[in-house]
Amino acid sequence: MTIDVSGQEIILDPYDYDFHEDPYPYYRRLRDEAPLYRNEKLNFWALSRHHDVLQGFRNSTALSNKFGVSLDPSSRTAEAYRVMSMLAMDDPEHLRMRALVCKGFTPRRIRELEPQVRELARTHLDSALQSATFDFVSEFAGKLPMDVISELMGVPEPDRARLRELADGVVHREDGLADVPPSAMQASMELVTYYADLIAQFRRDPANNLTSALLAAEIDGDKLTNDEIVAFLFLMVIAGNETTTKLLTNAVYWGARNADQLAEVFADHSRIPLWVEETLRYDNSSQILARTVAQDLTLYGTTVPPGEVLLLLPGSANRDGRVFDDPDDYRIGREIGSKLVSFGSGAHFCLGAHLARMEARVALDELVRRIEGYQVDEDNAVRVHSSNVRGFAHLPITVKAT
């Protein structure tokens, strides 16, 4: 669905369902007509051009993470770190937390996880492919990332389905409500309680998993507290689960919309990482991230004072024609390099970027190995409604099995 917003007043409303359907015409006008945008009603500013978004990510002095990265009013508090961990911290607290977490959340641990990711992907595909037509979200993409996170953490298999339900509930947003709904708050509390119990269990009886590694992490006698580990595990659910689900669904959706390019992927599986990268650029999961202005910030002749909320729009930056040729064309194999801002940049660059890419590569590889092709039922596809994440809640597909 393409929405014509030309000739109208530019209104960026991250809670608007029409915006969720297709934000890119809005972004284009923002980049061209209001690169520093102001929304008086919702009380925020926004940057949409690639250069500005990239510099915003890197400027952790003028732009603070202290109140978190969500626009939702109930989430923007000095207590945001309790559920968003290092994503809601500035240095030196952020640097300390990241250094300790990196002791457990290592590249080696992620590499060693790949066989389990592949096994989980095969298990879910075995079930999904019992039918030629199935919901790609509920049967595969919505299960795998949370199960991978649970595998990392040491969550017992019988608990994983319930945790997936809670994770879905945390990110749900209701039409007309510009904040976190009560159901999401309840799901968040249940998740936090579960993770607190899990940490207590592995403190008593350590095992070979991320939770135990975080409990053991130490730098010069400094260790993570239980509450800090709970916050990081919760952050993984928000930043690592839902975004990877959406990455998978967006890749499958845009692959189907560009059948000639998808055929090249099926013919040559070495193109799967390129499929992932172009999806991250063209329609990335994480579209909007908030910052709090910490000192006078002058852009385009306007000074934004401290205390204001400034949104960085990586979803717009990745479509900026000032940086990418034919940015609105989905072109697997295009030169992207270091220009991608889907995982942020600077001090807060996404710690889970390697995990997300590995999951997507493995999941899509397993899919294309098992089928000859697929079609998406666009008429029955349903987008998720979120103030910052873009993707599908339901994506029915019909596959042609090998």
Side-chain angles (χ1 to χ4, degrees):
M1 178 180 181
T2 300
I3 299 171
D4 182 11
V5 296
S6 60
Q8 306 173 18
E9 178 188 0
I10 307 175
I11 299 177
L12 172 64
D13 181 353
Y15 300 97
D16 180 71
Y17 275 27
D18 285 338
F19 174 76
H20 296 164
E21 289 294 328
D22 187 4
Y24 297 104
Y26 296 86
Y27 291 156
R28 188 182 309 114
R29 287 195 64 197
L30 288 174
R31 291 192 303 269
D32 291 344
E33 302 172 37
L36 175 62
Y37 170 80
R38 173 65 177 164
N39 186 310
E40 293 288 351
K41 180 180 178 182
L42 295 176
N43 194 28
F44 68 79
W45 303 77
L47 291 173
S48 51
R49 291 182 180 175
H50 185 279
H51 173 270
D52 298 330
V53 171
L54 182 61
Q55 293 307 308
F57 280 134
R58 293 176 175 176
N59 190 350
S60 54
T61 302
L63 297 179
S64 168
N65 281 52
K66 186 169 60 174
F67 296 98
V69 298
S70 172
L71 181 62
D72 299 339
S74 62
S75 298
R76 295 197 58 75
T77 73
E79 303 291 303
Y81 70 92
R82 295 188 181 277
V83 289
M84 296 302 286
S85 184
M86 67 187 76
L87 203 55
M89 295 178 184
D90 295 329
D91 288 339
E93 293 81 8
H94 162 262
L95 185 60
R96 169 193 169 266
M97 184 73 186
R98 193 176 181 105
L100 281 165
V101 164
C102 284
K103 287 281 187 177
F105 192 66
T106 62
R108 178 180 176 179
R109 186 175 295 276
I110 294 169
R111 286 195 304 271
E112 292 177 346
L113 185 66
E114 184 168 331
Q116 290 101 304
V117 175
R118 197 169 291 277
E119 183 180 342
L120 286 167
R122 289 172 177 169
T123 297
H124 289 312
L125 280 173
D126 284 344
S127 176
L129 293 174
Q130 294 296 312
S131 173
T133 298
F134 61 92
D135 184 345
F136 185 71
V137 178
S138 63
E139 298 301 318
F140 185 64
K143 291 182 175 180
L144 181 64
M146 190 61 197
D147 280 359
V148 169
I149 289 171
S150 290
E151 179 79 19
L152 255 176
M153 295 175 181
V155 172
E157 286 191 28
D159 296 348
R160 293 179 184 181
R162 176 56 181 159
L163 288 195
R164 287 200 304 267
E165 292 176 5
L166 291 174
D168 289 342
V170 169
V171 298
H172 174 72
R173 296 295 179 266
E174 296 175 0
D175 191 10
L177 179 64
D179 203 349
V180 180
S183 60
M185 293 182 182
Q186 179 62 35
S188 297
M189 287 188 288
E190 288 188 43
L191 263 182
V192 166
T193 300
Y194 181 89
Y195 287 139
D197 291 343
L198 188 74
I199 290 165
Q201 172 191 331
F202 288 125
R203 190 176 286 282
R204 292 190 302 269
D205 187 14
N208 182 23
N209 56 49
L210 176 61
T211 307
S212 294
L214 293 174
L215 282 163
E218 181 177 344
I219 298 177
D220 297 330
D222 185 22
K223 302 185 74 170
L224 295 166
T225 67
N226 282 15
D227 286 347
E228 288 172 335
I229 298 173
V230 166
F232 180 71
L233 298 185
F234 191 89
L235 173 63
M236 289 192 69
V237 173
I238 302 302
N241 166 51
E242 189 69 8
T243 52
T244 308
T245 291
K246 301 306 179 268
L247 169 57
L248 290 171
T249 58
N250 290 343
V252 164
Y253 178 80
W254 291 112
R257 290 287 296 268
N258 295 271
D260 55 335
Q261 296 184 59
L262 185 63
E264 293 181 10
V265 174
F266 271 86
D268 179 3
H269 293 183
S270 71
R271 296 183 65 80
I272 288 173
L274 301 176
W275 184 15
V276 173
E277 290 305 297
E278 177 62 350
T279 303
L280 285 167
R281 182 201 70 84
Y282 189 80
D283 200 17
N284 58 307
S285 307
S286 185
Q287 294 270 315
I288 297 172
L289 291 163
R291 297 289 191 267
T292 302
V293 178
Q295 57 185 231
D296 282 350
L297 188 68
T298 301
L299 294 157
Y300 300 99
T302 299
T303 298
V304 182
E308 294 287 288
V309 177
L310 178 72
L311 303 186
L312 302 176
L313 309 179
S316 172
N318 283 332
R319 292 281 196 105
D320 192 343
R322 298 161 185 81
V323 175
F324 299 99
D325 295 333
D326 304 314
D328 293 323
D329 292 345
Y330 186 75
R331 198 163 70 218
I332 296 172
R334 74 159 68 230
E335 175 59 38
I336 298 175
S338 61
K339 297 178 288 187
L340 192 73
V341 293
S342 301
F343 295 111
S345 187
H348 285 276
F349 181 81
C350 178
L351 200 61
H354 293 308
L355 176 60
R357 284 180 163 120
M358 182 269 282
E359 282 185 66
R361 171 177 54 79
V362 169
L364 294 173
D365 180 64
E366 288 298 324
L367 177 68
V368 299
R369 286 178 184 275
R370 300 280 291 272
I371 63 177
E372 291 185 6
Y374 66 88
Q375 292 181 321
V376 168
D377 179 2
E378 291 193 36
D379 290 340
N380 289 299
V382 178
R383 287 204 169 274
V384 71
H385 295 294
S386 165
S387 58
N388 67 324
V389 174
R390 175 167 164 79
F392 291 91
H394 299 287
L395 191 69
I397 68 170
T398 299
V399 302
K400 183 179 181 182
T402 54

